[in-house]
Amino acid sequence: VQLQASGGGLVQAGGSLRLSCAASGRTFGTYNMGWFRQAPGKEREFVAAISRFGTTFYADSVKGRFTISRDNLKTMVYLQMNSLKPEDTAVYYCATVALRDTTWYSLSDYWGQGTQVTVSS
């Protein structure tokens, strides 16, 4: 599955953005999908995931503010981000994911360009 994230931008604190991830491949519906982010000088971190059945999972830092969804017919994954905070500033990546113990991992070592989200205070 090839993935392309988009929808990032500059927004004021408290604002909203909707990220999109376009996926190619007929097997999209069989994958769990997720979003990760990486802020400058920090390690990449898990943000949210949605199983192939539609069950959602969130990092504590975004729970209640972000919503992940998917459209299997359009092979798209979305991340609706509300009440954005300056600490949400990062490059956001979508990925096919798997859960091992309690940690979500990308199934691929290739992350692509991601999409930049910048939240001003």
Side-chain angles (χ1 to χ4, degrees), residues 55-111:
T55 306
T56 57
F57 306 83
Y58 298 95
D60 287 343
S61 59
V62 306
K63 202 171 294 183
R65 300 187 298 122
F66 290 11
T67 302
I68 187 172
S69 61
R70 66 189 296 164
D71 185 330
N72 288 341
L73 291 178
K74 296 182 179 178
T75 64
M76 295 288 292
V77 183
Y78 305 100
L79 187 67
Q80 178 66 43
M81 306 186 296
N82 298 329
S83 302
L84 282 162
K85 304 175 181 180
E87 50 264 44
D88 294 318
T89 295
V91 178
Y92 284 71
Y93 304 88
C94 59
T96 54
V97 297
L99 180 63
R100 300 172 191 169
D101 294 328
T102 59
T103 303
W104 286 95
Y105 289 91
S106 171
L107 292 176
S108 173
D109 292 331
Y110 177 71
W111 289 94

Side-chain angles (χ1 to χ4, degrees), residues 38-62:
Q38 187 168 20
K42 295 188 177 181
E43 292 188 354
R44 188 175 287 119
E45 65 176 0
F46 168 77
V47 175
I50 184 166
S51 76
R52 59 195 180 107
F53 302 112
T55 306
T56 57
F57 306 83
Y58 298 95
D60 287 343
S61 59
V62 306

